[in-house]
Amino acid sequence: MSFNTPSKQEKTGSELSLEDATSIHDASYMRDLARGDVESVIKNCTILSVPVFLDEMMATISQPPPAPAMDANLFKGVPAYEDKKGALEKHMYAPLREGFTAIAQKLSTTLKTNPIACVETYTSMNTIAEEQAFDAEFAPDLYLTLHEGPINALFKARNEAKKKKKVMHVWRESLFHYPGVLIEVKRSAGADFPWVAKKEDTYDAALNGEAKKLLEQIHRYISYAQYPAFPYRFIYCITVTGAYMRFWKWAATGARVSDRIEYRKSPEAVVRFIQALQMGGDPAIGTNVGPGLLFDDYKPPKGMSEKEKFRRAEVIAALYNNKVKPAWEDWLEAAASSGVWQLGSWSQNESITDSYILLQYPIYSTISIFGRGTRCFLAVDRAAFEHKDFDKQDLTSFFHTFKTSWQFIVRSKENDFYTVGDPGNSIKYLASLLGGGVLPNSQQSAAMFVDQVKGRVEQLPLYPEPPIKTRDNSHFYQRELRWVLLKEVGRRLTTVESSGELVQTLRQCLSAYGDIGNNRIIHRDISANNILINITTGEGLLVDLDSAKYMQRSESDKSKVSAAEKRLLQREQEHAKARPVITGTMVFSSIALSRSTIPRWWHDYEAFFWLLVWCTIRHVNGVTLVWADGDLVLINPENRQKALDQVFRYEAARVDEAREQGAKAKLEFLENCVMVLPDNQQLETLINKLRILFKEHYTLIRSLQAVMDAIRRLYRVARKDVPDSFPRSPFSIASEDSVAIYLSEIEEEIKNMPNTTSYAGEEVTAALTRAKAAIQQQGTFPDYHAVEKLFNGLDVNHSPLMDFLPFTPKAKEDDEGGGFKSLF
């Protein structure tokens, strides 16, 4: 497997699919972002005994030989600073590196394998971290890798550039482009984690300040740098805390952590760890590149030299670069230098396996290793890439998108949603499916759910799939790596040049959304990531059905159900047995989804509105927010982020709190704010009409919610429980008819209520009266198709031609919005 050195480093430090970043170079932002995820990390940690952890590593190696005898004093030179103040952890680096190197060299001689190298990265990366405004903690201390030569060459090139007073950034696509195991060192055992593998179902999950800081640190390394830089199945790391060491294995379903090891007294576990990596090579380190894996090295035809292969890759990257209008520098050089892959031989469809090559550098990559970990790669027709008249072709017509994501096994496949939503690949403005499936033998699972507050292990809901069991018989989630190949490639919505082009793009994607809705598909993730602009046609492009849901047809319509729909429906019914979840990008999600997990079409129509508001505040010139209390906010480059926070307010330590805060802020905007655009009267009219439509919508919904809350209080007084027949959440209401049905259900429920206090009964009656009055005043339940009608009513030809501005004055540095680097 070959890896190639990018000649320069782009200015972004990680690929963030978050909308609230003020600057990709804001170290405090990055630290805060990581801290918000620590609770999730803890809850997804499984503690294993050292033998069990190592047995899992060795399981993939056929008949591993016993480890050779090693000097018991390999790490004796590592100082212990448990009681000494002022000592520096950097004094531990050299003896640790010497110990790892001695093990690797002895194993190499015995096993006849290439030795794994231990590279000291802290001193080389520290100044680089400062150049990019990252805190020094963003640089790991040591790095175990099979690619010592290229990494050292990068550091040497950087130092030479520095002598000439040139800045050569060597960050993610340099160090982490070469697979390896990062090592983070702390001088004190006080930074270790108070976790011990036991047979009992109890763990002490509370973390002190030092341990929590270390967990934040390695989570940043893994999630914001190493994982997005390369297609991994899992990632190993090592933490050294004074006299103790732990092994970690990070994957989409969680982190598996070994018991701590007294490595200075007994290095045998470290020897076995290095042996497993050295015998298995890069695939053992966790890469998804190699025979039988997701990608494999591209083997050019006879007559094509390596130099020509990279030249063609550079031409393709340049064309793509020009089409997507990136706001960062050097994507071209990073992408071209990263080399070319082909799909692995795992696909049963040879036309897919043999027909495409991919640039190694992803065009989109999400942060955080936990979860779906979506990545997109630029795919090119292999025949066009290898054609003798390569330079004479319209190469962009051969560009496609290859997407991978780790999905729960019980979730329906994205390609099935495309098949049902657009059975003939005929819906305009919807991405066209060329293929999709599952990477064989890619299943992953996490074992236990450690509850930080209660300090105990909770068993997760049992999925309908045959569960895998740990040694204590607890069940856990399972994910598998899925892929889709799409015909089109899109550029980001925020690269449009005018509000007219923005509205036109949203209008076109609304049309596509309505068409898949006619086939019973709800998208459930309308966002700036998934509303794109086709780089070939310049038209809107709706993508990403990962989170979609199939809505069952009515009884009178069931005769139209296709075989594909039946399979999808069966899968959806199985999935419904699992814990219901709220999907979608939080900043754009419907207010109703803060209170209900039942998806409705109008939730997505509302998301289109919030996307329009977000883009307008973020990019359109001359916007003023007029609040009911008299506060006027004139939007300018310096306060755009503050205005976004005021309207969307989605920052919080916990996701559920952020969702609730965001819903309250959006409701406040609907009720108390008017957007004024003196230079763009049409856009102002569109936004405010949509705002009034959803304001009326929630006036009715809130009236119905008040009735439900009053009845719930009454039941708490009278019966302490709520009957199964209790009316469903008003946030799940889909139409005017269902409002009427809902009210009739409530009135029937009131008739059947037990006798209770007069106050509670009066409260329910008063709430019901107010709800009826709201319905009479409004006249009808809002038609969600009115959103599409309002968009279609805007004459984009008379909108300003160039009113769409970069998010900040420093567009090149801030990546059109502070690191929201998501082309697809």
Side-chain angles (χ1 to χ4, degrees):
M1 180 168 51
S2 61
F3 302 94
N4 305 283
T5 306
S7 57
K8 287 185 181 179
Q9 165 59 20
E10 60 161 294
K11 292 189 178 181
T12 54
S14 64
E15 294 172 339
L16 305 178
S17 58
L18 298 179
E19 301 80 12
D20 55 350
T22 56
S23 172
I24 190 65
H25 304 293
D26 187 341
S28 62
Y29 166 75
M30 297 299 290
R31 286 195 296 270
D32 292 342
L33 186 63
R35 291 188 180 113
D37 288 342
V38 168
E39 181 182 353
S40 172
V41 174
I42 294 172
K43 286 183 176 181
N44 285 280
C45 283
T46 305
I47 301 87
L48 303 177
S49 67
V50 176
V52 170
F53 189 100
L54 293 173
D55 285 346
E56 285 190 3
M57 291 187 71
M58 287 291 186
T60 59
I61 300 173
S62 177
Q63 297 179 340
M70 293 278 181
D71 184 353
N73 297 317
L74 283 168
F75 295 103
K76 287 292 185 182
V78 180
Y81 298 128
E82 302 305 320
D83 302 317
K84 294 182 180 180
K85 296 182 179 180
L88 300 176
E89 65 186 43
K90 67 180 181 181
H91 296 153
M92 301 172 68
Y93 301 155
L96 279 169
R97 183 180 181 184
E98 291 170 3
F100 284 119
T101 301
I103 293 172
Q105 291 177 346
K106 182 67 175 289
L107 287 171
S108 176
T109 302
T110 306
L111 304 174
K112 309 299 181 184
T113 60
N114 292 327
I116 199 165
C118 185
V119 181
E120 185 176 317
T121 51
Y122 180 84
T123 53
S124 298
M125 298 293 286
N126 187 27
T127 53
I128 297 164
E130 292 170 2
E131 287 168 4
Q132 296 199 328
F134 288 120
D135 56 329
E137 296 170 357
F138 236 87
D141 300 320
L142 303 171
Y143 198 62
L144 295 174
T145 180
L146 291 167
H147 308 278
E148 180 183 21
I151 290 176
N152 286 335
L154 284 165
F155 292 151
K156 182 179 179 180
R158 182 200 167 277
N159 291 333
E160 291 297 323
K162 189 175 182 180
K163 291 178 183 177
K164 298 176 182 178
K165 297 184 178 181
K166 294 182 179 179
V167 176
M168 178 181 174
H169 295 292
V170 185
W171 178 230
R172 179 169 52 75
E173 285 74 27
S174 55
L175 175 65
F176 289 124
H177 184 75
Y178 300 94
V181 178
L182 65 86
I183 303 172
E184 185 58 32
V185 180
K186 299 298 178 188
R187 66 179 184 178
S188 171
D192 189 29
F193 308 94
W195 297 336
V196 180
K198 303 175 182 178
K199 292 183 179 180
E200 299 82 10
D201 287 346
T202 57
Y203 295 84
D204 179 8
L207 297 184
N208 61 33
E210 288 185 88
K212 187 173 182 180
K213 184 178 179 181
L214 176 56
L215 185 59
E216 292 169 356
Q217 197 172 338
I218 58 176
H219 180 242
R220 285 202 302 273
Y221 298 152
I222 299 292
S223 291
Y224 306 149
Q226 191 172 9
Y227 182 69
F230 203 83
Y232 281 97
R233 291 168 294 133
F234 52 82
I235 296 175
Y236 287 114
C237 76
I238 297 174
T239 53
V240 180
T241 50
Y244 299 105
M245 181 182 291
R246 287 185 190 265
F247 304 139
W248 296 69
K249 181 180 181 179
W250 298 73
T253 51
R256 299 167 81 76
V257 191
S258 75
D259 272 343
R260 65 185 188 180
I261 304 157
E262 294 188 64
Y263 65 97
R264 295 189 306 167
K265 295 181 179 179
S266 180
E268 290 83 3
V270 185
V271 174
R272 285 196 69 199
F273 183 90
I274 301 294
Q275 179 185 6
L277 300 181
Q278 208 152 291
M279 293 186 69
D282 281 322
I285 291 176
T287 69
N288 218 340
V289 181
L293 298 176
L294 179 64
F295 299 130
D296 207 345
D297 287 328
Y298 169 66
K299 301 173 181 62
K302 291 182 179 180
M304 182 186 295
S305 65
E306 285 292 305
K307 183 177 180 180
E308 176 62 13
K309 178 182 76 171
F310 283 106
R311 187 194 73 81
R312 295 188 180 197
E314 184 174 346
V315 170
I316 288 171
L319 288 170
Y320 175 80
N321 210 31
N322 181 56
K323 288 288 185 180
V324 300
K325 305 177 185 178
W328 59 92
E329 296 178 353
D330 302 331
W331 190 93
L332 160 62
E333 295 182 49
S337 302
S338 67
V340 181
W341 279 323
Q342 63 187 27
L343 295 179
S345 58
W346 45 266
S347 176
Q348 296 178 348
N349 187 340
E350 293 184 0
S351 64
I352 294 291
T353 303
D354 299 333
S355 298
Y356 303 94
I357 61 98
L358 305 94
L359 292 189
Q360 290 181 8
Y361 188 90
I363 59 176
Y364 171 80
S365 186
T366 56
I367 61 172
S368 183
I369 188 170
F370 296 157
R372 288 183 291 172
T374 302
R375 285 191 185 87
C376 296
F377 297 86
L378 182 63
V380 183
D381 287 358
R382 186 169 188 155
F385 186 81
E386 297 175 352
H387 200 280
K388 63 179 182 178
D389 294 326
F390 172 82
D391 294 293
K392 297 180 181 180
Q393 305 172 96
D394 177 14
L395 290 169
T396 55
S397 64
F398 301 108
F399 286 3
H400 312 289
T401 303
F402 185 82
K403 172 187 172 184
T404 64
S405 62
W406 292 93
Q407 279 283 9
F408 286 125
I409 290 177
V410 294
R411 278 283 297 145
S412 300
K413 297 179 180 63
E414 183 177 9
N415 50 294
D416 289 338
F417 286 114
Y418 274 106
T419 301
V420 171
D422 186 14
N425 265 357
S426 59
I427 293 180
K428 196 172 184 181
Y429 313 125
L430 178 71
S432 303
L433 181 71
L434 296 178
V438 178
L439 183 69
N441 304 316
S442 63
Q443 288 76 14
Q444 286 188 0
S445 38
M448 303 172 190
F449 205 79
V450 179
D451 190 306
Q452 183 182 15
V453 179
K454 300 177 183 177
R456 62 185 177 83
V457 174
E458 294 183 351
Q459 182 171 312
L460 291 171
L462 180 62
Y463 272 130
E465 296 288 327
I468 304 172
K469 296 185 178 181
T470 59
R471 61 188 184 282
D472 64 349
N473 294 322
S474 62
H475 302 92
F476 46 88
Y477 289 108
Q478 300 173 68
R479 290 183 185 268
E480 61 187 5
L481 186 60
R482 297 178 178 178
W483 62 274
V484 292
L485 181 66
L486 302 176
K487 182 179 179 181
E488 300 85 0
V489 177
R491 61 179 168 91
R492 285 193 34 72
L493 181 64
T494 50
T495 61
V496 299
E497 295 182 344
S498 70
S499 55
E501 187 181 359
L502 168 67
V503 172
Q504 179 78 323
T505 302
L506 293 177
R507 173 193 294 173
Q508 291 166 341
C509 290
L510 270 166
S511 172
Y513 180 81
D515 288 338
I516 64 171
N518 291 335
N519 290 324
R520 314 300 297 171
I521 300 297
I522 300 181
H523 190 285
R524 297 205 301 175
D525 192 12
I526 299 300
S527 70
N529 273 348
N530 301 327
I531 304 293
L532 306 179
I533 300 155
N534 190 318
I535 66 171
T536 303
T537 65
E539 297 174 327
L541 183 65
L542 179 62
V543 299
D544 191 2
L545 298 183
D546 252 353
S547 302
K549 186 172 182 60
Y550 174 76
M551 300 298 286
Q552 188 173 356
R553 293 181 182 273
S554 63
E555 290 296 327
S556 61
D557 209 24
K558 283 190 175 180
S559 60
K560 301 177 182 178
V561 176
S562 65
E565 284 184 82
K566 289 179 181 178
R567 290 194 301 271
L568 195 57
L569 178 59
Q570 181 180 1
R571 195 72 165 179
E572 291 288 286
Q573 289 173 339
E574 290 175 351
H575 185 229
K577 299 174 185 177
R579 179 186 299 174
V581 294
I582 300 174
T583 64
T585 304
M586 192 183 306
V587 64
F588 308 115
S589 63
S590 167
I591 295 171
L593 288 176
S594 66
R595 303 291 296 272
S596 172
T597 60
I598 301 174
R600 296 296 181 192
W601 277 281
W602 63 266
H603 294 164
D604 282 348
Y605 279 90
E606 184 183 341
F608 274 97
F609 166 67
W610 292 119
L611 180 54
L612 175 64
V613 171
W614 180 82
C615 286
T616 301
I617 295 175
R618 198 169 185 264
H619 292 282
V620 176
N621 196 19
V623 180
T624 300
L625 301 180
V626 182
W627 292 88
D629 60 3
D631 187 19
L632 300 179
V633 181
L634 178 63
I635 309 299
N636 56 53
E638 285 68 39
N639 71 351
R640 287 187 189 275
Q641 184 62 50
K642 184 177 180 181
L644 286 169
D645 292 342
Q646 184 179 14
V647 174
F648 293 98
R649 203 183 309 153
Y650 46 80
E651 290 189 15
R654 294 168 46 132
V655 171
D656 54 349
E657 291 176 357
R659 194 177 295 278
E660 187 68 26
Q661 287 182 17
K664 290 179 179 178
K666 290 174 185 173
L667 198 56
E668 185 177 343
F669 174 80
L670 293 179
E671 295 178 337
N672 300 312
C673 187
V674 174
M675 189 176 290
V676 178
L677 292 90
D679 299 327
N680 198 334
Q681 200 65 43
Q682 286 202 88
L683 181 60
E684 175 187 316
T685 301
L686 172 64
I687 290 176
N688 287 315
K689 282 187 175 180
L690 288 168
R691 180 187 63 80
I692 292 170
L693 185 150
F694 285 107
K695 175 184 176 181
E696 293 175 347
H697 179 91
Y698 281 106
T699 299
L700 170 57
I701 291 290
R702 292 176 78 185
S703 298
L704 297 175
Q705 183 66 38
V707 179
M708 173 178 281
D709 291 344
I711 296 176
R712 286 189 185 280
R713 284 191 291 273
L714 179 57
Y715 270 113
R716 280 198 293 270
V717 171
R719 293 177 45 181
K720 306 296 183 185
D721 65 337
V722 179
D724 294 337
S725 61
F726 194 77
R728 63 192 178 281
S729 166
F731 290 96
S732 65
I733 291 173
S735 67
E736 181 182 358
D737 291 339
S738 58
V739 171
I741 295 171
Y742 181 83
L743 279 176
S744 65
E745 289 175 352
I746 287 180
E747 291 185 301
E748 186 65 27
E749 196 61 44
I750 291 173
K751 293 178 183 177
N752 297 328
M753 279 184 178
N755 294 327
T756 181
T757 63
S758 59
Y759 169 76
E762 290 173 358
E763 181 187 13
V764 172
T765 302
L768 185 61
T769 301
R770 288 195 297 271
K772 289 181 177 179
I775 295 172
Q776 292 172 353
Q777 181 179 2
Q778 185 172 317
T780 181
F781 188 82
D783 176 11
Y784 47 80
H785 289 298
V787 176
E788 191 171 351
K789 294 173 185 175
L790 286 169
F791 271 98
N792 288 335
L794 184 71
D795 184 1
V796 297
N797 295 322
H798 289 85
S799 64
L801 296 178
M802 293 289 290
D803 64 341
F804 211 75
L805 305 176
F807 184 48
T808 73
K810 302 179 296 179
K812 288 186 177 181
E813 294 182 13
D814 293 342
D815 182 25
E816 291 245 14
F820 193 176
K821 177 183 163 188
S822 313
L823 302 180
F824 177 100

